Amino acid sequence: MSKLLIVGTVAFDEIETPFGKTDKILGGAGTFIGLSASQFEVSSAIVSVVGEDLPQEYLDLLKSKNIDISGIEIVKGGKTFYWKGKYHNDLNSRDTLVTELNTLADFNPIVPENFKNAEVVMLGNLHPSIQMDVINQMTERPKLIILDTMNFWMDNALDELLAVIKKVDVITINDEEARQLTNEYSLIKAAKAIHKMGPKYVVIKKGEHGALLFNNGNIFFAPALPLEEVFDPTGAGDTFAGGFSGYLAATEDTSFENLKKAVIHGSNLASFCVERFGTERMENLKRDEVSKRLHQFKALTQFDIEIE
Ligand code: AMP
């Protein structure tokens, strides 16, 4: 089985949407990526850091999905990364109310020995120098390195972020962040500018409006599945990244055609994530539900047209 190495936060999230609010619940980019990637036949591991305050049941949940958690450091007396966000009425935009790095502030990631040759590395959203540290620990150049990031790191660690972007094959980023990173309003121009920074593939996520994949001259677009119920978009981007990277690790094919399929798998899985608060929907998601929705996805986007 191919190996997928995931780096990302395992966190406490507190979320408010127009439909309600939560207490501190399980969240974090690494968590959502891992849960989503567990839908594929891959051997995955998460590298992260938490405090002693994180309930054991959260770690047990990840373990129950066959995720190797030996790379999740538990800091004695430490506090787990905490994020609080509030969504606006359109659910497509949100305000970050609190980001407490806690144990993440001085985290030295350690890649488990048996994952240093992972075929695919998914660098989830966290400090870019941690992402770089993980790349440097790999004993073989992975077939594919994918990086996700957010405006927080553009604001707080831009130089380190640009250095790690240079090293990766794929970047996944949302539209607003792509514009911030490049100072380009047009997403086509933004993607071109990001290609120049290093990544051969650029994925721009547009929330409920789908995702774009760029590979120099080639562009592919996948819509998001229109859903009747959207409760909480938290983690949708990471769930996308988990499906995208999980599929690519399982297939070990890094062609543009296969990345298109990875975008579809990522979008499909993200459509489940938003149906409940936090990780709830992803925790019990069954493979037959996933394939049923893939059929709907295919039907939604397929058409015949005669062109003279
Ligand atoms: P998403 O909705 O996919 O953008 O990701 C939401 C997740 O990202 C939440 O579960 C948060 O715990 C996590 N998160 C928020 N801010 C940060 C940050 N600055 N660094 C790492 N993870 C973060």
Side-chain angles (χ1 to χ4, degrees):
M1 234 196 280
S2 321
K3 292 180 190 169
L4 170 66
L5 178 67
I6 299 162
V7 190
T9 41
V10 172
F12 280 125
D13 284 355
E14 198 175 325
I15 303 155
E16 191 173 334
T17 80
F19 309 108
K21 48 173 142 180
T22 68
D23 292 327
K24 284 186 177 181
I25 56 171
L26 172 63
T31 305
F32 283 106
I33 295 170
L35 290 176
S36 178
S38 72
Q39 292 291 331
F40 299 92
E41 298 298 320
V42 287
S43 166
S44 60
I46 299 181
V47 170
S48 193
V49 66
V50 296
E52 270 186 316
D53 54 349
L54 192 85
Q56 182 61 37
E57 63 184 86
Y58 290 171
L59 296 173
D60 291 344
L61 168 72
L62 297 174
K63 241 188 190 158
S64 75
K65 302 286 175 189
N66 287 326
I67 302 168
D68 184 323
I69 58 164
S70 62
I72 302 183
E73 186 191 338
I74 303 170
V75 176
K76 277 221 160 89
K79 278 176 74 181
T80 300
F81 175 86
Y82 164 62
W83 176 79
K84 182 173 179 178
K86 183 175 173 177
Y87 288 84
H88 301 161
N89 278 343
D90 67 354
L91 285 179
N92 231 8
S93 54
R94 70 183 176 204
D95 293 327
T96 288
L97 304 180
V98 184
T99 301
E100 278 178 19
L101 295 178
N102 296 327
T103 48
L104 194 70
D106 27 44
F107 173 45
N108 293 312
I110 297 176
V111 177
E113 212 48 52
N114 54 337
F115 274 86
K116 287 188 173 168
N117 61 354
E119 284 82 2
V120 176
V121 175
M122 179 67 235
L123 302 169
N125 171 31
L126 39 57
H127 197 297
S129 52
I130 298 175
Q131 296 175 317
M132 183 68 104
D133 195 343
V134 166
I135 295 179
N136 289 338
Q137 289 178 49
M138 303 306 286
T139 48
E140 283 168 40
R141 171 62 164 88
K143 278 210 169 104
L144 204 68
I145 307 180
I146 307 160
L147 175 136
D148 189 45
T149 191
M150 74 186 292
N151 49 359
F152 183 86
W153 304 113
M154 292 172 202
D155 297 335
N156 294 298
L158 185 60
D159 289 348
E160 291 102 316
L161 181 61
L162 291 174
V164 71
I165 287 177
K166 216 179 202 173
K167 300 249 172 186
V168 307
D169 305 297
V170 189
I171 184 169
T172 66
I173 190 168
N174 77 28
D175 43 0
E176 200 186 313
E177 291 155 358
R179 291 183 173 121
Q180 178 174 345
L181 185 64
T182 60
N183 286 319
E184 293 285 3
Y185 183 80
S186 147
L187 295 179
I188 296 184
K189 285 186 181 165
K192 275 188 190 158
I194 298 173
H195 280 319
K196 284 203 185 114
M197 295 175 187
K200 175 160 92 180
Y201 293 109
V202 177
V203 178
I204 300 186
K205 300 169 284 180
K206 290 157 57 71
E208 65 170 329
H209 305 297
L212 288 156
L213 167 68
F214 296 87
N215 170 221
N216 293 312
N218 296 320
I219 308 182
F220 173 69
F221 172 68
L225 204 72
L227 295 171
E228 245 178 81
E229 291 198 285
V230 177
F231 264 101
D232 170 21
T234 307
D238 305 312
T239 302
F240 174 91
F244 181 81
S245 56
Y247 174 76
L248 289 171
T251 53
E252 286 194 48
D253 171 355
T254 61
S255 65
F256 182 67
E257 284 308 307
N258 205 46
L259 264 81
K260 282 162 63 170
K261 292 183 196 164
V263 169
I264 299 292
H265 281 284
S267 304
N268 191 49
L269 285 163
S271 77
F272 290 99
C273 174
V274 302
E275 289 181 334
R276 301 273 185 283
F277 274 108
T279 55
E280 195 185 329
R281 186 70 174 100
M282 299 310 289
E283 285 177 26
N284 301 307
L285 184 59
K286 303 279 175 300
R287 299 237 170 139
D288 58 324
E289 295 178 285
V290 176
S291 53
K292 196 170 155 207
R293 198 167 279 184
L294 265 179
H295 282 291
Q296 291 173 359
F297 217 116
K298 199 169 169 187
L300 177 79
T301 50
Q302 226 164 28
F303 58 87
D304 272 325
I305 189 167
E306 305 216 343
I307 302 175
E308 314 256 304

